[in-house]
Amino acid sequence: MQPEIPPDPVLEAEYNNRARVPEHPAHLAAWARDAAAWREACPAAELGLAYGGRERERLDLFWPDASARESPVALFIHGGYWQGLGREWASHCARGLNGLGVAVAVPSYDLCPAVPLAAIVEQMRAAAAMLHRRHGRRLLAMGHSAGGHLAAMLMATDWPARDAALPAGLVPAALPISGVFDLAPLRATSIGVALALDAAEARRLSPLFLPRPAGALHCVVGAAESAAFLAQGRAMAAAWGGSFATLPGADHFTVLAPLADPGSAMVRHAKALAPA
């Protein structure tokens, strides 16, 4: 059990994005609307594919067109601080890459505190392994906020140790958007209550402190986000020899908007990272 940690108002202000962006309900409503629209409009979508036996162990796979089964594949993981939302909020994040010929899988996962964060990491590993077994592709891992953390964890995974039939380079590239890579600061915030991490587990699950994997990492953060999120992105890119970019004017919610646009710089960069 997590020991009692005094709340830190400075860290709370840095990491509580819903409090920082009072208009976040309108952004969430737009996500739900745009996601539903892409589920209807995508040229070829396979919805509700199981990667495990639990109710939320499902993913939606959006193809560029009905005949594009040889496309590169990316995995986009939704945010919500590991305790909210689901794949149905993020379908539109596949639209830009679909427009450039890349398939995008969008998974759900169980939420804290019903499961520990370590279990969510394992679920995303299971989703990535299922996609590889099904399509024989290496994957680009992407994600927003908590999903950015999970994308980095996938890149850092020792896949053959998990399953000898899986290649070491199953996830050779990651593009986390507004990710959290050092979990320790969350322990003194309201976000940390449901995570219930002790100091050792927080460090074990922090990509920032994992050995640098082979491959390419590109971290993106909204320029209008908190100093803590900007620092997390810069530190992660530096630790793994990756690149870092800010999106001018974007907050923690609007930073996702470019993913729906095939012409955006973020989508073009993701396309370049996606393994053939």
Side-chain angles (χ1 to χ4, degrees), residues 53-251:
R54 297 171 65 90
E55 177 63 27
R56 288 179 63 93
E57 291 180 335
R58 301 286 185 274
L59 61 82
D60 297 336
L61 182 51
F62 299 94
W63 295 95
D65 60 64
S67 63
R69 292 305 189 265
E70 300 304 315
S71 302
V73 178
L75 180 68
F76 179 84
I77 308 171
H78 72 82
Y81 268 140
W82 311 274
Q83 51 198 290
L85 305 179
R87 69 185 188 278
E88 67 274 14
W89 296 82
S91 311
H92 60 298
C93 295
R95 182 178 176 182
L97 278 171
N98 285 167
L100 296 185
V102 178
V104 181
V106 183
S108 292
Y109 47 84
D110 285 319
L111 303 174
C112 300
V115 300
L117 177 53
I120 297 174
V121 173
E122 287 305 310
Q123 286 180 314
M124 292 301 89
R125 288 170 173 158
M130 170 270 200
L131 286 166
H132 178 77
R133 294 185 184 109
R134 193 174 193 255
H135 298 287
R137 305 284 199 289
R138 297 182 303 150
L139 308 172
L140 164 65
M142 304 174 65
H144 174 238
S145 195
H149 161 269
L150 294 166
M153 291 297 287
L154 291 183
M155 188 174 164
T157 297
D158 183 345
W159 295 101
R162 178 186 176 87
D163 181 342
L166 297 174
L170 197 158
V171 179
L175 198 162
I177 302 165
S178 305
V180 180
F181 310 105
D182 175 5
L183 303 183
L186 298 181
R187 298 179 64 231
T189 71
S190 61
I191 296 113
V193 174
L195 304 181
L197 298 170
D198 63 23
E201 185 74 344
R203 189 173 182 91
R204 186 179 76 83
L205 295 174
S206 292
L208 185 64
F209 304 116
L210 297 180
R212 174 181 172 178
L217 176 76
H218 181 60
C219 298
V220 177
V221 182
E225 297 199 55
S226 71
F229 270 88
L230 289 162
Q232 288 253 3
R234 288 192 184 96
M236 189 68 238
W240 285 8
S243 53
F244 173 80
T246 58
L247 188 65
D251 62 33

